[in-house]
Structure formats: C-alpha cells, structure tokens
Amino acid sequence: MNEAPHLTFDPDTPGVSRGHLVVPGGSDRGELSLPVFSLNKGEGPHLLVTGGNHGNELEGPIVARRLIKWLPKEQICGRVIVLPVLNPLAVEAWSRNTPLDGLNLNRVFPGRADGSVTQRIADAVSRVLLPMADTVFDLHSFGPTWDFPPAATTHPIADPDLMARTVRTAEAFKLPLTLVWQHNDTAGMFDIEAQNQSKVFVCAEFGGGTVGADNLAIYEAGVRNALISLRLVEGKAEYPTFRQRKSSQSLETRLSDQLKSPARGIFEPRCSVFDEVNQGDIIGVLHPIDSLTAESTDIRAQGLSIILGIGSGSYVHANEVVALVARPLKL
C-alpha cells in the first residue's frame, strides 16, 4: 500500500484526466480520495484551482464544477488542475472547521504527514499539487452573516515582484473589488505556503448570505476573466454587473480598519459596501436585548474611508468585528 499522498493519474498525460488525490489514513480516520480534474494542453501556464477549503463556503465548489464543464472546449494551452472540494469532511458538515479534529484547513499549511486528518489534507496538497502550479486560485466566500462584495484578494507580500504580479493577477478577475488585506491570523494559510514557494496565489472571496444564481454568474465570470488574462483561454474579459454597476476598484485594509462592537447585542447595519464615509458617520447601531431602558449604541467611522464589508444583521458579542473599512490601494 502506498502510504504517501499521490494522484491516481499522471497529470503530464495530454488531454483530460480525472482521478483522485489520495490522502493517507491515520489514527483518526481512513484514507480520503479527493476528486481531481486535469486538462493538459502542453506549453503554457500551470494553474491550480481549488474550492471547499472552508466547508460553509459553497460557491467555490460550484464554480469549480462549472469550470470543469466548459474548460475542455475552451482551454488552448498550458495545464489546469481543478480540485473542487479540498475538505469534504467540513463541506458535509457545513462547517468552517473539520469536525473530526476541530481544525481550520486554511490555518494548518503546509500540514503534517503524521498529523490529524486536516493536517494530512494540507500535507497532500502542499507536496503533490502545489509544486505542479505556478499560479493558484483558491475559491472562497465570505460567510452568511456578512455583506461583502465579490473580491479577488491577497495579503501583503515581502517580495515586491511577487506582490506586483499577484495584484495584477487579482485585478484580472475584474471583480468589483481587488483587495490587499492585512490580517493578524495568517499562520498556516494556504496562500502563505504558496507564496513561500514563489507561486502567485489569489483568494477569491464572494459576498455572503445565500448562494444565488446571480452571484454565481459573477463569480464564474471573474474566474473566466482571470483565465483569459493568463491566456489559457481566448475571449474578451468584461466587468460583471454587480448592483447595477460594471466597475472595479483596488483597495487595501489594515488591522486598524476593523470596527468592533463595544458590547453584546443585535447589530443593525446602517450603510452598504462601497459607501464612502467620513469621521463620525454612523456605520451601524448596536441594540441591547436584556433591557428596554438601555439606549442603543451608535458605531461610527473613525475617519474618511470606504465600507469594505459589514455585518448583515446578527447577534454579536463584545469586541466582535461588525464592519471593515478600506482605502485606495497604494503599492
């Protein structure tokens, strides 16, 4: 028995290949077989597309399946490998984390061959699939309790050349937002491991709420635009329509751009994504639930900025992030 992670097919074989990425078993559960699609058209870019990193973000797996359907007729060069569901255990549970070990797959890269099941998935992807690619698209969505625009995102990268190439690739999606996102929880993220291997990595984040036909069409159009930019397929890239507009803007957000709830209660948003706000403008209102005499609390903008994401109306705890703001990107 082969105890190392491996593909059940040879991705160097010309044309379409379908098979599995085999993740060896461990003490917590047996072997996993993750379905993988590969299309090899010879010389050209090598792209890896993944979805289902987080189990409660299902737009990615759906768009990845759509890509598999039309790619054989449209790809003209290079190699594209698509793994629609990175973490089937989390998807089955509609959970951000893997139920068996409680781990977030996007925080355990490069993984461990002798670790828990989540760590073994990360290890298999890091050792088998990632070396085959020069560009990676990881398809996410922002979660059901947020209003967040369709976005192609990255984190600040120390290598200025890789940073510039990554931003150019993210902008090629032509989604309403290209975002450089400073984050305080990047240890073990898939993109950090890819960037350590000098790969261009773009994380697509798509909104929140329900999975809808209109949103999926925008997401799919963004992925197609990016493939056109890589010259893997032919065509004319176009801005998808989002809330009656065809446009895109590049923004950056820092840790200080998080607006947090001062107490627990029901958060009521008072603005929408891409709204421009000035210092003192009301972003949202926090309503207490344990008193009819206590006043509701206004949550206000700390300065001139653009609304990047806002809680879509939910019960929040003290110090929980309820809104994100941003400003124009300056590389």
Side-chain angles (χ1 to χ4, degrees):
M1 180 177 178
N2 189 347
E3 294 297 335
H6 62 279
L7 288 172
T8 60
F9 62 91
D10 182 359
D12 291 330
T13 300
V16 172
S17 299
R18 290 180 172 87
H20 295 84
L21 173 66
V22 176
V23 179
S27 60
D28 51 358
R29 70 148 290 146
E31 181 180 281
L32 278 176
S33 292
L34 310 183
V36 178
F37 168 94
S38 173
L39 178 51
N40 184 3
K41 286 288 187 78
E43 294 296 321
H46 287 180
L47 173 66
L48 171 64
V49 180
T50 57
N53 194 325
H54 291 139
N56 59 351
E57 301 175 9
L58 300 184
E59 287 91 339
I62 294 170
V63 171
R65 292 294 295 250
R66 290 187 178 188
L67 173 63
I68 290 170
K69 188 173 183 179
W70 56 256
L71 198 60
K73 294 182 179 179
E74 300 194 29
Q75 185 178 327
I76 59 174
C77 69
R79 184 175 66 197
V80 179
I81 296 176
V82 185
L83 198 169
V85 178
L86 277 171
N87 193 345
L89 302 178
V91 169
E92 289 167 1
W94 201 71
S95 169
R96 183 175 176 85
N97 295 354
T98 310
L100 269 179
D101 56 17
L103 294 180
N104 179 343
L105 175 58
N106 208 29
R107 298 297 185 274
V108 300
F109 280 89
R112 285 177 48 192
D114 61 348
S116 69
V117 63
T118 308
Q119 293 169 321
R120 296 197 304 275
I121 293 172
D123 173 71
V125 173
S126 298
R127 288 203 283 152
V128 178
L129 293 182
L130 199 51
M132 298 180 183
D134 43 53
T135 302
V136 182
F137 297 160
D138 193 27
L139 309 182
H140 287 249
S141 50
F142 206 71
T145 62
W146 280 80
D147 183 17
F148 192 85
T153 76
T154 184
H155 297 295
I157 303 170
D159 180 342
D161 176 67
L162 184 58
M163 180 84 254
R165 288 189 288 124
T166 300
V167 170
R168 284 198 302 269
T169 304
E171 290 176 335
F173 279 73
K174 295 188 178 296
L175 290 174
L177 174 65
T178 299
L179 180 66
V180 176
W181 192 335
Q182 187 184 75
H183 202 286
N184 64 353
D185 185 23
T186 56
M189 294 184 73
F190 189 11
D191 51 350
I192 301 301
E193 175 61 21
Q195 289 156 6
N196 286 341
Q197 296 188 29
S198 299
K199 317 289 186 180
V200 169
F201 187 108
V202 176
C203 173
E205 293 275 6
F206 200 99
T210 58
V211 178
D214 291 343
N215 289 348
L216 288 169
I218 295 173
Y219 207 155
E220 184 179 5
V223 173
R224 183 187 293 271
N225 286 340
L227 266 64
I228 291 171
S229 173
L230 291 173
R231 299 183 179 177
L232 286 163
V233 302
E234 294 179 325
K236 180 181 179 182
E238 296 183 353
Y239 293 101
T241 301
F242 175 68
R243 298 180 182 175
Q244 290 77 54
R245 292 190 296 181
K246 284 180 175 284
S247 62
S248 179
Q249 52 186 309
S250 298
L251 304 176
E252 60 181 343
T253 185
R254 308 186 187 106
L255 293 177
S256 58
D257 292 326
Q258 297 179 348
L259 299 183
K260 298 182 178 181
S261 173
R264 58 191 180 94
I266 297 172
F267 177 71
E268 173 196 350
R270 287 285 182 89
C271 54
S272 301
V273 295
F274 292 144
D275 284 352
E276 293 187 6
V277 293
N278 294 297
Q279 184 170 354
D281 287 350
I282 296 177
I283 300 292
V285 178
L286 185 69
H287 302 290
I289 65 171
D290 53 2
S291 172
L292 293 177
T293 58
E295 293 291 330
S296 298
T297 303
D298 294 337
I299 298 176
R300 298 179 180 271
Q302 303 301 307
L304 178 64
S305 53
I306 299 168
I307 299 297
L308 169 62
I310 189 160
S312 60
S314 60
Y315 182 83
V316 297
H317 297 279
N319 209 39
E320 185 173 338
V321 178
V322 294
L324 299 168
V325 298
R327 60 196 51 78
L329 173 63
K330 296 179 180 179
L331 285 178

